[in-house]
Amino acid sequence: MEQKKDFLRLVVDRHPSASPVRGIYLITDDGARLVERVTQALASGVKLLQYRRKAGASGEILSTGLQLKRQCAEAGATFIVNDDLALARALDADGLHLGQEDGNPQEARRELGQQKIIGISTHNLAEALKAEADGADYIGFGAMFPTGSKEISHLAGPEAIPAIKAQVKIPLVAIGGIDRDNGSRVLDNGADALAVISAILGSRDPGLAAAELALLFNRREPYPRGSVLTIAGSDSGGGAGIQADLKTVTLLGTYGASAMTALTAQNTRGVTAIHGVPAAFLSQQLDAVLSDIPVDVIKTGMLFSGENIGIIADKLLQYGRRIVVIDPVMLAKGGAELIDRKALTLFKDRLLPAAYLLTPNIPEAEKLTGCTIHNEDDMCRAAEILHRLGAGNVLIKGGHLAEGTAVDILFDGKDFSRYPVPRILTKNTHGTGCTLASAIAAFLAQGEPLPQAIAAAKGFITIAIKLAQPLGKGHGPVNHYMAAQQVRCRQGAPHQE
């Protein structure tokens, strides 16, 4: 009998690891097209939805709630009603969230049923301990940061989370001003879920905003952390292409998969032959990977043909991949053309608008925009043009300029960010573009927000160039191995066993 009692206790254990209260916790707003926006977010990683309505006719509130509940069921997400016991009962919601003045969790559980999830908003340790003692399944805790949605009277901040987590054993949902760029601080301090409103529903693309936030949770996973699919050509010399991509991703601690677009006969002196992969076989490779392996980030390099570009664009839509790093490889280090004019037009029409991040060097940016780039101002103008063509974020690499400092410039549609590093005088730069884009993809897959992922990748490629050793008779490859060793040591990441 004792064994049976222990078994039953484990089944109803409310420990965070057994709770569905983990991941992105989306709270609804009162804006237009709510169901459409929520549906996009659910498809990109939202795990819990809290239905909150401040005004409206009761029939319309109920109708919208039924639509949202259905969308949550299809997405496998938890549907919670905010502060309205009668509405939660009418909708047969998965749970109810209560404010400090909105009722007792025990009463709510009696009304809704023992299996329903009950949450309570808290602002300090005393309130959190009381919520747990009263039988809550989770607490909302905040505010983390100032927010424009309402006036903040309790600004706890992320640094207050560890003290709560040390004494309260139910999941903690952090709330208040959380977005892509500060969410990592909240997670690193121990939050189990991130509650957001405008960071997703206020975005022009709620699905993409949700995908960005969902990736942050990978920062807590064991190594290899996250996964990257590289779609590129093979470099027989091993310094660039798929070989460089897989070296970079693996050495930085992320799982790497690949789909090949072309084979090249290539060494440090250049490309002597190219054998394209049939588009149908590329399609089979992509289906094989994307139908089985949970890919976090896709990185593209040499695409070779218009047919390949069309296949890739179709597969991104089919599998709903949103975080795509596109390195528009057009010229080999030795000057060989790697894409024809027809394919370039198709690239701009079909694939460039799918880019979460586009990473052209200056010659590639000139070819894509028709502009001549002589300085940083020209780089900024080119980045704006590429953003207008559809790229979500644009990182133009300034290594081809003559200044003593090599500056890359990121444009996110609103602001410019500079990433300057001292120029390293060496001819051993084969594979730098592939390696940088793959490193960005790996850091994104590991849960770094885009600005930090770029900064970390810049640090990695700079070390790799600095430590490059002469190999071959032309442009030698960068030193992936030693650069990864130094980066991992600086991060304090454990070596993989």
Side-chain angles (χ1 to χ4, degrees), residues 321-383:
R321 301 294 95 182
R322 304 303 307 271
I323 308 298
V324 184
V325 177
I326 295 180
D327 184 24
V329 177
M330 298 175 186
L331 294 170
K333 186 68 69 177
E337 291 271 358
L338 299 178
I339 190 170
D340 60 31
R341 185 180 299 275
K342 181 180 177 182
L344 179 60
T345 299
L346 197 60
F347 173 87
K348 292 168 70 173
D349 291 342
R350 296 283 322 273
L351 201 56
L352 190 150
Y356 172 66
L357 176 67
L358 186 73
T359 64
N361 59 29
I362 284 177
E364 291 162 348
E366 290 178 330
K367 194 162 187 174
L368 286 168
T369 64
C371 300
T372 301
I373 299 174
H374 297 292
N375 51 46
E376 289 188 35
D377 288 340
D378 293 340
M379 291 171 66
C380 292
R381 280 191 288 272

Side-chain angles (χ1 to χ4, degrees), residues 376-404:
E376 289 188 35
D377 288 340
D378 293 340
M379 291 171 66
C380 292
R381 280 191 288 272
E384 289 176 318
I385 292 170
L386 292 170
H387 178 73
R388 287 198 296 271
L389 289 174
N393 302 275
V394 181
L395 180 72
I396 296 190
K397 299 172 291 190
H400 285 78
L401 295 182
E403 284 84 356

Side-chain angles (χ1 to χ4, degrees), residues 102-296:
D102 296 316
N104 184 283
Q106 295 175 357
E107 177 186 347
R109 200 180 300 283
R110 282 194 299 271
E111 290 282 336
L112 297 176
Q114 291 301 309
Q115 301 306 312
K116 300 301 185 181
I117 299 168
I118 308 298
I120 297 182
S121 295
T122 64
H123 309 95
N124 53 51
L125 179 58
E127 291 178 356
L129 288 169
K130 184 178 186 304
E132 183 177 40
D134 286 344
D137 294 291
Y138 72 94
I139 58 170
F141 181 69
M144 295 295 103
F145 308 100
T147 174
S149 63
K150 63 180 181 179
E151 186 176 339
I152 297 296
S153 57
H154 302 275
L155 187 61
E159 291 71 27
I161 294 175
I164 304 292
K165 292 288 291 182
Q167 298 191 52
V168 177
K169 302 309 177 187
I170 56 177
L172 184 151
V173 179
I175 187 168
I178 297 170
D179 59 27
R180 179 201 70 183
D181 292 337
N182 61 31
S184 55
R185 277 181 60 197
V186 181
L187 289 174
D188 290 346
N189 275 285
D192 298 289
L194 301 180
V196 296
I197 306 174
S198 58
I200 290 179
L201 294 180
S203 170
R204 289 189 308 167
D205 189 339
L208 180 59
E212 289 183 293
L213 279 163
L215 268 186
L216 299 182
F217 287 85
N218 280 2
R219 63 196 301 108
R220 298 169 130 176
E221 297 299 317
Y223 286 96
R225 183 174 289 169
S227 60
V228 171
L229 166 63
T230 171
I231 308 171
S234 167
D235 174 2
S236 55
I242 272 183
Q243 287 83 351
D245 295 344
L246 291 176
K247 289 175 186 177
T248 299
V249 167
T250 302
L251 288 169
L252 288 175
T254 297
Y255 182 81
S258 64
M260 200 169 295
T261 60
L263 306 172
T264 69
Q266 184 175 175
N267 56 26
T268 63
R269 291 180 292 179
V271 177
T272 55
I274 301 176
H275 180 70
V277 169
F281 183 61
L282 173 61
S283 179
Q284 290 174 320
Q285 293 178 75
L286 294 173
D287 283 332
V289 175
L290 293 172
S291 66
D292 179 46
I293 296 171
V295 172
D296 292 305

